[in-house]
Amino acid sequence: MKQSAQGAELARQHTLGGIYAFAAYLLWGFLPLYFLLLAPTGPWELVAWRILLSLVFCVLLLAVTRTWSRLGAIFRQPRILGLTALAGGLIYINWQVFIIGALTGHVIETSLGYFINPIATVLLAVLVLRERLRLTQWIAIGIAALAVLVIIVGYGSFPWIALTLAASFSVYGLVKKRVGPVVDAVSGLTLESMWLIPVAGVILIVVNATTGITMGTSGGLHALWLSLVGVVTAVPLLFFAAGARRASLTVIGLLQFIAPILQFITGAWILQEPMPFERWIGFGLVWVALTILTVDSIVHARRTRAS
């Protein structure tokens, strides 16, 4: 009876984890539309407010949950503290490039970056962690590389937004894996935002001296939407952290495609961004690579459980 109750609770936690992860990816998928609502705020000013207001939101969360001790424990570990600074730099690059893409008519390319991200993560495992890949994983990487080549040659432009997003987020994921259970989601985002305060300050000074700061100058509704950017940043991250602790890696791996699919739909059908034949071929190759990678992961996970 006791084992049955434990099994039921475990199943409930797995289901709850899937719901949390689904909510996180759903919110991330609609981020481009939210950022477009914030016009006339430009990408540089928007990232600065995202940093500052994320920190404010996280500090409030720490105060409400009374988890300052977790944050204090990290300050007593110089190596972990340094890794949070590195994570902050990587997430800044990711945020900045993503928002530039979203506000300059490249939402489809941002989706390509997050489609490529799982493949970049696998490649990173080889280059950094010295892991040995299975044949199917190498095939997926080869097809993805061919897809990027097709986009460059056929479409006539280098997909720097997509590749920068994939590279920065995959390395960010590696750093977060290294800090592991020592750094919880709220403390991690608090520290990452804290390290970026000087960057945000410099950006706001430059923006104020050039185009002018839009916060408070474009109406009350605009100021309200802009003031919520910290919440919009932190909530999906907290949902994801809650989901990752409960759901299996296979479930998380499958759900991670929700965000780029929604971004692709937003760019192609809602915002009517150009999607010429060459780009369809490139995306098609990426989707084939992801299908191979996903099937391989599911089969490998089942074999591992069986053994």
Side-chain angles (χ1 to χ4, degrees), residues 113-183:
Y114 290 110
F115 277 126
I116 295 174
N117 179 66
I119 299 168
T121 301
V122 171
L123 187 59
L124 202 61
V126 177
L127 299 176
V128 179
L129 303 179
R130 304 298 181 185
E131 293 183 8
R132 297 184 64 180
L133 297 189
R134 297 179 293 277
L135 177 61
T136 46
Q137 291 175 313
W138 279 117
I139 292 172
I141 290 173
I143 294 173
L146 178 62
V148 173
L149 186 63
V150 166
I151 291 172
I152 292 172
V153 175
Y155 192 56
S157 63
F158 186 79
W160 71 270
I161 291 175
L163 295 180
T164 303
L165 289 175
S168 60
F169 202 70
S170 59
V171 178
Y172 176 75
L174 178 64
V175 174
K176 297 292 278 186
K177 184 178 180 181
R178 288 288 175 89
V179 298
V182 179
V183 181

Side-chain angles (χ1 to χ4, degrees), residues 20 25 98 121 132:
Y20 278 133
Y25 286 118
F98 180 83
T121 301
R132 297 184 64 180

Side-chain angles (χ1 to χ4, degrees), residues 3-287:
Q3 288 182 341
S4 177
Q6 288 176 341
E9 176 60 21
L10 186 62
R12 192 185 74 83
Q13 287 296 323
H14 282 168
T15 302
L16 190 60
I19 293 171
Y20 278 133
F22 177 80
Y25 286 118
L26 191 69
L27 291 172
W28 278 329
F30 288 113
L31 267 184
L33 291 176
Y34 176 77
F35 291 145
L36 287 169
L37 281 176
L38 301 178
T41 304
W44 299 96
E45 182 188 354
L46 182 49
V47 168
W49 289 121
R50 193 176 187 185
I51 292 167
L52 293 172
L53 295 173
S54 293
L55 180 60
V56 171
F57 182 70
C58 286
V59 168
L60 289 173
L61 275 180
L62 288 170
V64 170
T65 58
R66 298 180 180 179
T67 51
W68 293 103
S69 58
R70 294 181 183 176
L71 188 66
I74 299 170
F75 276 96
R76 293 190 291 272
Q77 302 177 69
R79 177 181 169 276
I80 299 297
L81 198 61
L83 286 173
T84 64
L86 176 59
L90 290 166
I91 204 62
Y92 165 72
I93 294 170
N94 189 269
W95 287 355
Q96 189 68 78
V97 173
F98 180 83
I99 292 177
I100 288 174
L103 298 185
T104 58
H106 294 88
V107 173
I108 290 177
E109 192 173 335
T110 66
S111 76
L112 178 62
Y114 290 110
F115 277 126
I116 295 174
N117 179 66
I119 299 168
T121 301
V122 171
L123 187 59
L124 202 61
V126 177
L127 299 176
V128 179
L129 303 179
R130 304 298 181 185
E131 293 183 8
R132 297 184 64 180
L133 297 189
R134 297 179 293 277
L135 177 61
T136 46
Q137 291 175 313
W138 279 117
I139 292 172
I141 290 173
I143 294 173
L146 178 62
V148 173
L149 186 63
V150 166
I151 291 172
I152 292 172
V153 175
Y155 192 56
S157 63
F158 186 79
W160 71 270
I161 291 175
L163 295 180
T164 303
L165 289 175
S168 60
F169 202 70
S170 59
V171 178
Y172 176 75
L174 178 64
V175 174
K176 297 292 278 186
K177 184 178 180 181
R178 288 288 175 89
V179 298
V182 179
V183 181
D184 62 283
V186 179
S187 297
L189 185 57
T190 302
L191 288 169
E192 290 160 21
S193 303
M194 182 193 74
W195 293 120
L196 295 175
I197 290 298
V199 176
V202 169
I203 290 174
L204 289 178
I205 290 171
V206 172
V207 169
N208 187 55
T210 51
T211 57
I213 292 175
T214 61
M215 173 66 92
T217 64
S218 300
L221 187 59
H222 174 270
L224 175 63
W225 285 119
L226 189 53
S227 66
L228 291 174
V229 73
V231 177
V232 170
T233 297
V235 168
L237 285 170
L238 297 176
F239 277 157
F240 177 76
R245 285 198 302 269
R246 293 172 172 85
S248 67
L249 287 175
T250 303
V251 170
I252 297 295
L254 292 172
L255 290 175
Q256 70 181 323
F257 300 122
I258 292 172
I261 287 171
L262 289 174
Q263 290 165 12
F264 179 82
I265 291 171
T266 297
W269 281 285
I270 298 177
L271 301 178
Q272 295 292 302
E273 291 183 11
M275 196 64 188
F277 182 67
E278 297 86 353
R279 196 174 237 189
W280 277 112
I281 294 176
F283 269 81
L285 288 169
V286 170
W287 293 331

